[in-house]
Amino acid sequence: MKTNVHVRKELLFRAYLLLFVIHTTQTGVGIIGLPRVVFLETEQDSWIVILLSGIVVSLSVAAIVMTMRQYSSADLYGIHVDIFKKWLGNLLNIIYIVYLIYMLNVIALNYTELVQAWIFQTLPNFILVSMLMALSVYGVLGGIRVVVGVCFIGFFISILDCIYYLHSHAKLISFALLSYGGSQCERILQWYY
């Protein structure tokens, strides 16, 4: 297997667009349910868990960057085979593919749960998952540039959502910032909700 891969020109995109891809993949449906999942697992408000997982992710990214500096234009599968040789490298590749399929299933079910909770309560799961998979396949068959374009648009939609949220809660935020103490904030939040 060739370790260094020469990518076709139509599969390339500008480096700054990677920011939008990373943002969109990190702030998908998981960000909506994160507080609930953390609370269910720890049974308390666990900010330290999020802080520690951020440190672990940062260390993982540092290890990935150091490994990628040694390979100029290699893909993950070629790096596995090069570092761990044929059998163990291919086994790691298979484990990675199974992990990606599992995560695809988790994300699809989370989207289905979200849509069923807010819009279509009685629609069966398989119809929603089928529609989501059809959209995903359509986007992937369009090429990487279509996927990057959707991520680019999704980034700005999420920014507009944040602006709308801040604007709709501006009265509460400004009132809480001008209050005298923590007890005032609790009283204001109780009044607001």
Side-chain angles (χ1 to χ4, degrees):
M1 174 178 271
K2 287 174 41 178
T3 303
N4 288 325
V5 178
H6 300 286
V7 182
R8 295 188 316 254
K9 190 168 179 86
E10 64 268 7
L11 296 177
L12 297 176
F13 56 90
R14 297 198 179 269
Y16 74 89
L17 292 172
L18 191 60
L19 166 81
F20 302 110
V21 174
I22 292 171
H23 174 272
T24 305
T25 56
Q26 289 180 344
T27 58
V29 74
I31 201 166
I32 296 171
L34 179 67
R36 181 181 62 88
V37 172
V38 170
F39 181 80
L40 289 175
E41 292 296 323
T42 61
E43 297 179 0
Q44 57 186 340
D45 187 21
S46 299
W47 60 271
I48 193 76
V49 172
I50 296 172
L51 185 66
L52 289 176
S53 57
I55 292 170
V56 169
V57 168
S58 297
L59 292 174
S60 301
V61 168
I64 290 169
V65 167
M66 284 189 264
T67 304
M68 290 305 293
R69 283 187 181 159
Q70 297 176 1
Y71 297 93
S72 60
S73 65
D75 61 352
L76 182 64
Y77 304 108
I79 293 172
H80 278 166
V81 171
D82 189 50
I83 292 176
F84 300 109
K85 303 304 173 205
K86 183 178 179 181
W87 293 102
L88 187 58
N90 285 330
L91 178 67
L92 286 175
N93 289 336
I94 291 170
I95 291 171
Y96 183 66
I97 290 170
V98 169
Y99 168 75
L100 289 178
I101 291 170
Y102 172 75
M103 290 310 297
L104 172 74
N105 186 30
V106 168
I107 291 171
L109 289 177
N110 281 343
Y111 271 113
T112 303
E113 180 181 303
L114 182 69
V115 170
Q116 281 182 335
W118 291 96
I119 303 171
F120 301 115
Q121 287 88 7
T122 58
L123 198 63
N125 285 348
F126 73 92
I127 293 176
L128 288 171
V129 171
S130 301
M131 290 170 45
L132 180 64
M133 289 300 116
L135 273 173
S136 301
V137 168
Y138 177 73
V140 170
L141 289 178
I144 188 69
R145 291 185 179 186
V146 171
V147 174
V148 172
V150 169
C151 292
F152 183 78
I153 293 169
F155 173 80
F156 289 108
I157 289 173
S158 67
I159 297 296
L160 289 175
D161 283 345
C162 290
I163 291 170
Y164 173 75
Y165 178 77
L166 288 174
H167 179 67
S168 64
H169 292 82
K171 177 180 155 186
L172 172 68
I173 292 169
S174 63
F175 200 64
L177 290 176
L178 295 175
S179 67
Y180 293 110
S183 61
Q184 290 283 26
C185 288
E186 290 175 15
R187 188 169 58 89
I188 291 167
L189 288 174
Q190 288 173 352
W191 166 77
Y192 186 78
Y193 292 108

